[in-house]
Amino acid sequence: MSHSDATRAVEAVWRIESARLIGALSRMVGDVGLAEEFAQDALVSALEKWPEEGVPAKPGAWLTTVAKRRILDRWRRDERFQDRMVELGSEIEERDGQAEFDAVLEEDYGDDLLRLMFVCCHPVLTTQARVALTLRMLGGLATDEIARAFLVPEATVAQRIVRAKRTLAKRKVPFEVPVGEDRDARVASVLEVVYLVFNEGYVATSGTDWTRPKLSEEAMRLGRVLCDLLPKDHEVHGLLALMELNASRFRARVGPDGAPVPLDQQNRGRWDRLLITRGLAALARSVPDDPGRARGPYSLQAGIAAQHAVAPTAEDTDWSAIAVLYEKLVETTRNPVAELNRAVAVSMALGPESALGIVDKLREVAVMADYPMLPAVRGDLLARLDRAEEARAEFERAAELTRNESERALLLGRALAV
């Protein structure tokens, strides 16, 4: 095997096995940062040995074995870990417990992965740190890959990850699945991080590309893992449904020149029917069995995405149903962006005049002051009301606010067209 072939094999195995490996090692050493160090040691060994010895039959098990030997060596040398050695290692050694030690690593794989998700998305970390750590630990992405995905310097991402691991250790965040009231908040934090990653791929906040599908694919992979680990959590299924349904439009959202294609102009024949089917199935699982229990925000948003997905043409879209779902979403979240989207649905169902008052009220909301979609939507409503000069000014204002070059070009084009 050539060195390059072995390197590609190591990278592929790492991408698949790293989360499982780090999760299992974290359970043993009780520290995510330390667990990653041992996992990285195993990765270095693979890069050294596989070009000469070939890729082992069970590469994931090979990495696990090397990492656990590193841990045992550390425990033997370091007095600080003697208690832990007594707790786990000595019993294993008494039984000549290589197999037993393997079992320690192999058991509760799903629980380990879930614990790792909760730790990486812990509220003591900033949002940016949670995203970076999740992509590193659970996605297996290298620091430079995360930096390229978010168009930030590699050193910045590296600092975020280092600080995050330091914070987790300093705050002594336990490697465990939260219970009780804390659990719902922690699940919400995990879902928020996954959805942030998806959205950065769905509509890039900056740069020249309108979308970055690989980021969204990574988020959907994490979402599917979460559904397996938390099958009874309706909002987990709601998030997956939302991501699958929105992702079904990826091929139609960008034209041959890379320019964004608005929803009503997309070729629906290019929408991914498999993702729509999977999204609708996840949506069904997101609805609570108890009719008295309200649907969560992700489930409601997935319901909106489903209305678009099942409409054979843009003209056949049930905008009244979408407006109702947005109304429920606003009631649940009090989110001004959801209110802006409700205005769009209202305009499509009842006409632009009915929606303009909703949008004008949002101009008084401080957090919406620099949100480019607010003037963009207002410009669209004014254009439909034949108020061309005002519409042009709104589109130009939206173009000034956006940091995405493709979106800016689209908005300036609309300003010229009215």
Side-chain angles (χ1 to χ4, degrees), residues 303-320:
I304 292 164
Q307 290 293 333
H308 291 297
V310 300
T313 67
E315 292 73 23
D316 293 324
T317 305
D318 189 344
W319 286 103
S320 295

Side-chain angles (χ1 to χ4, degrees), residues 341-398:
N341 291 332
R342 184 177 79 86
V344 174
V346 168
S347 79
M348 299 303 292
L350 303 174
E353 189 71 50
S354 301
L356 192 57
I358 302 173
V359 174
D360 284 346
K361 285 183 180 177
L362 286 171
R363 298 172 82 189
E364 301 168 5
V365 178
V367 296
M368 298 294 281
D370 295 326
Y371 185 57
M373 290 312 297
L374 178 57
V377 169
R378 192 165 190 273
D380 180 69
L381 298 177
L382 292 168
R384 290 163 61 188
L385 291 167
D386 295 324
R387 294 163 61 176
E389 286 300 321
E390 295 170 86
R392 186 174 301 112
E394 292 292 347
F395 285 131
E396 289 173 348
R397 165 72 175 153

